[in-house]
């Protein structure tokens, strides 16, 4: 018998869907667009009250950059938005069962 070593090749870092840049694909683009639209609405209301265009333009740029940063997935394949979703799901799934102590000598 021939004594040959067989090696197992495990591919790492294979993406299951196309991405525009590392960690940012079509789903993240939708999430960040939704955040930008909501932030843009708030920014528009702020402009109607303050009438200060420079602060509103700066706020919109911060909203756009922040939404992209919140939606980018890291090495663990989770984004900040995903982490918040997981924390909300975990908090809803927890049940509160407070401990009630009884007098053990009363029932004897």
């Amino acid at each position: 018998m021939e004594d040959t070593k067989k090696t197992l090749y495990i591919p790492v870092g294979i993406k299951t869907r196309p991405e525009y840049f590392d960690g940012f694909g079509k789903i993240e683009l939708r999430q960040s667009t939704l955040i930008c639209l909501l932030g843009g609405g708030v920014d528009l209301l702020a402009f109607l009250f303050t009438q200060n265009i420079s602060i509103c333009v700066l706020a919109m740029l911060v909203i756009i950059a922040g939404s992209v940063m919140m939606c980018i997935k890291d090495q663990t394949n989770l984004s900040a938005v995903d982490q918040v979703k997981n924390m909300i799901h975990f908090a809803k799934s927890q049940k509160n069962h407070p401990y009630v102590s009884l007098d053990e000598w009363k029932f004897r």
Side-chain angles (χ1 to χ4, degrees):
M1 272 198 150
E2 231 178 84
D3 189 25
T4 59
K5 281 190 166 184
K6 293 190 177 191
T7 59
L8 177 64
Y9 173 71
I10 301 173
V12 177
I14 294 178
K15 306 291 183 183
T16 58
R17 55 187 174 83
E19 295 179 340
Y20 299 116
F21 54 91
D22 197 28
F24 195 84
K26 189 186 255 186
I27 295 170
E28 292 80 24
L29 180 63
R30 275 193 235 133
Q31 288 174 342
S32 115
T33 303
L34 180 65
I35 293 171
C36 286
L37 289 174
L38 293 174
V42 172
D43 194 38
L44 182 64
L45 287 174
F47 175 72
L48 293 175
F49 287 117
T50 63
Q51 296 293 316
N52 191 343
I53 189 77
S54 59
I55 291 177
C56 291
V57 168
L58 181 65
M60 196 62 215
L61 290 174
V62 169
I63 290 169
I64 292 169
S67 69
V68 170
M69 286 177 13
M70 286 189 310
C71 293
I72 290 178
K73 294 187 183 281
D74 60 359
Q75 297 297 325
T76 60
N77 203 23
L78 288 174
S79 65
V81 175
D82 294 335
Q83 290 282 5
V84 170
K85 285 180 188 176
N86 289 340
M87 290 188 320
I88 290 171
H89 179 70
F90 179 76
K92 286 182 179 180
S93 69
Q94 291 297 300
K95 305 295 182 225
N96 186 14
H97 300 289
Y99 177 76
V100 178
S101 65
L102 300 174
D103 185 13
E104 62 181 278
W105 302 108
K106 183 179 179 181
F107 296 108
R108 286 188 177 206

